[in-house]
């Protein structure tokens, strides 16, 4: 099985070289290095690795804290890998999802996380019940009095919380929106975004538009992405979609594109549900003649 290494350090002053050497010794054919905080889930290099990793591949790290700083993030990444038929291994921790022992360790971690959440819920309920028994009313006094300043603070806090949740999923949708809009209709952009995602992580069009508008308002995306999509000939739609998938991952194989199109429930030019590499190759050649592949690469850069 191909081994793909991921090494991370927090600051530019640190070097990922020791991690890379350990990953190379473990047999990793490719190693990706990133300078980013472990608390930041929207890491571009990690996003690129998770996007291109395929069935049968194994993502390898030296320690699990190089991949994730929280149990919830670790389980989220591993669930995404499992959804693609890939595996995860940590060299210095007893986690290898390709082995029964590693899967058992992962199940224990998941159970511990759920137990911790249950304890927090019970402590919260007990604290609220105790406060009510002593005659204390929960909530913000300013909100109960409809104080304008208190209401403003709540609105800002909710907006901050919403942006924080968006940042955790930015790797799933921001690169596609930046690259494909406004050249491609929202319906097709949405299908491309949802293609590799697990069912519970998929977006609706209204939710995606709200997220994009929030990012545009904060300057994280250019306003042009909200522009009206140009009319495209019906015969050009499939070449544009295939070019978009190829543009997101220039190294993607024809068979992987087939799998992506089937997950998107796209039909072949002849109306079939099963795709063949020869059909994808034909569409890529047409996309190149139309100049779609070139523009996809330019937008990616």
């Amino acid at each position: 099985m191909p081994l793909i290494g991921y090494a991370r350090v927090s600051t530019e002053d640190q070097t990922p070289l020791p991690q890379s050497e350990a990953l190379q010794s473990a047999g990793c054919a490719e190693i990706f290095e990133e300078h980013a905080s472990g608390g930041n889930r929207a890491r571009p290099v990690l996003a690129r690795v998770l996007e291109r990793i395929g069935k049968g591949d194994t993502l390898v790290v030296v320690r699990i804290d190089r991949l994730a700083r929280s149990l919830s993030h670790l389980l989220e990444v591993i669930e995404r890998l499992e959804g693609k038929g890939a595996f995860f291994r940590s060299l210095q921790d007893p986690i290898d999802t390709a082995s029964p022992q590693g899967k058992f360790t992962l199940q224990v971690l998941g159970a511990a996380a759920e137990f911790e959440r249950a304890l927090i819920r019970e402590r919260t309920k007990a604290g609220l019940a105790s406060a009510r028994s002593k005659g204390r009313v929960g909530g913000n006094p300013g909100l109960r009095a409809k104080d304008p300043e208190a209401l403003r603070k709540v609105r800002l806090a909710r907006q901050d919380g919403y942006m924080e949740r968006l940042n955790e999923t930015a790797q799933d949708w921001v690169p596609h929106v930046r690259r494909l809009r406004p050249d491609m209709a929202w319906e097709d952009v949405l299908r491309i975004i949802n293609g590799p995602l697990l069912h519970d992580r998929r977006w609706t069009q209204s939710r995606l538009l709200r997220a994009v508008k929030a990012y545009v308002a904060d300057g994280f995306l250019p306003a042009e992405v909200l522009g009206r999509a140009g009319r495209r000939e019906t015969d050009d739609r499939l070449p544009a979609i295939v070019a978009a998938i190829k543009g997101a991952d220039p190294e993607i194989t024809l068979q992987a594109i087939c799998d992506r199109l089937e997950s998107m429930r796209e039909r072949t030019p002849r109306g079939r549900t099963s795709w063949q590499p020869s059909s994808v190759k034909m569409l890529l050649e047409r996309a190149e003649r139309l100049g779609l592949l070139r523009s996809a690469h330019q937008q990616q850069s």
Side-chain angles (χ1 to χ4, degrees):
M1 296 182 294
L3 303 180
I4 299 175
Y6 174 74
R8 181 191 64 80
V9 291
S10 298
T11 67
E12 294 292 339
D13 296 334
Q14 298 173 313
T15 174
L17 182 59
Q19 295 179 53
S20 297
E21 290 176 344
L23 293 170
Q24 187 175 12
S25 299
C28 292
E30 292 182 272
I31 298 174
F32 295 84
E33 298 178 348
E34 183 159 43
H35 291 77
S37 168
N40 180 15
R41 297 193 182 190
R43 296 177 233 151
V45 175
L46 178 59
R48 190 162 66 248
V49 173
L50 295 177
E51 175 70 22
R52 68 173 298 177
I53 202 165
K55 185 176 182 179
D57 294 344
T58 299
L59 178 63
V60 184
V61 297
V62 174
R63 299 190 311 274
I64 57 175
D65 66 345
R66 297 301 87 196
L67 177 67
R69 294 292 294 274
S70 68
L71 182 55
S72 62
H73 188 207
L74 174 65
L75 296 175
E76 176 185 313
V77 171
I78 294 177
E79 183 179 9
R80 184 170 177 181
L81 291 172
E82 289 182 338
K84 303 181 74 170
F87 305 98
F88 172 73
R89 180 188 305 172
S90 173
L91 299 181
Q92 296 184 13
D93 303 288
I95 299 180
D96 182 351
T97 60
S99 70
Q101 295 87 348
K103 288 183 178 180
F104 174 74
T105 301
L106 190 61
Q107 290 171 352
V108 171
L109 288 174
E114 180 57 34
F115 179 65
E116 182 181 15
R117 286 191 293 269
L119 287 178
I120 292 173
R121 286 194 297 268
E122 290 302 318
R123 285 197 294 265
T124 302
K125 289 179 182 178
L128 290 173
S130 175
R132 283 193 296 268
S133 68
K134 296 176 181 178
R136 292 200 297 269
V137 180
N140 188 318
L143 292 182
R144 291 198 300 272
K146 295 184 179 181
D147 177 66
E149 181 62 20
L151 293 173
R152 186 185 71 86
K153 289 181 178 179
V154 169
R155 283 196 299 269
L156 291 175
R158 286 177 177 172
Q159 178 64 17
D160 288 344
Y162 176 62
M163 295 301 294
E164 184 176 343
R165 293 192 299 274
L166 285 186
N167 292 339
E168 293 176 356
T169 62
Q171 63 190 25
D172 294 337
W173 57 277
V174 169
H176 295 294
V177 170
R178 189 186 300 277
R179 191 180 66 257
L180 303 178
R181 287 290 305 166
D183 295 329
M184 185 174 287
W186 282 113
E187 293 84 356
D188 292 328
V189 174
L190 183 68
R191 291 158 75 85
I192 290 170
I193 290 173
N194 283 338
L197 299 181
L198 297 175
H199 183 74
D200 60 351
R201 287 176 60 90
R202 292 180 178 175
W203 295 74
T204 63
Q205 186 167 324
S206 60
R207 180 168 161 248
L208 177 63
L209 281 171
R210 182 191 175 199
V212 172
K213 289 176 181 177
Y215 261 44
V216 169
D218 275 12
F220 296 141
L221 282 171
E224 290 77 13
V225 300
L226 292 173
R228 183 182 296 275
R231 296 181 63 86
R232 187 181 295 279
E233 297 293 333
T234 304
D235 291 344
D236 293 348
R237 180 177 172 275
L238 280 176
I241 290 176
V242 171
I245 296 173
K246 180 73 172 177
D249 182 2
E251 304 299 323
I252 193 171
T253 64
L254 294 177
Q255 184 58 55
I257 296 178
C258 290
D259 296 340
R260 181 71 61 81
L261 290 168
E262 289 177 5
S263 71
M264 293 166 58
R265 299 177 183 252
E266 285 289 346
R267 291 185 176 270
T268 69
R270 295 186 178 183
R272 298 172 181 169
T273 58
S274 178
W275 283 82
Q276 298 298 323
S278 58
S279 299
V280 172
K281 183 178 180 182
M282 177 189 67
L283 289 173
L284 284 173
E285 291 171 349
R286 177 168 173 75
E288 190 169 3
R289 290 195 299 271
L290 293 170
L292 300 174
L293 278 178
R294 183 170 61 255
S295 64
H297 288 146
Q298 288 171 348
Q299 291 177 29
Q300 186 182 34
S301 62

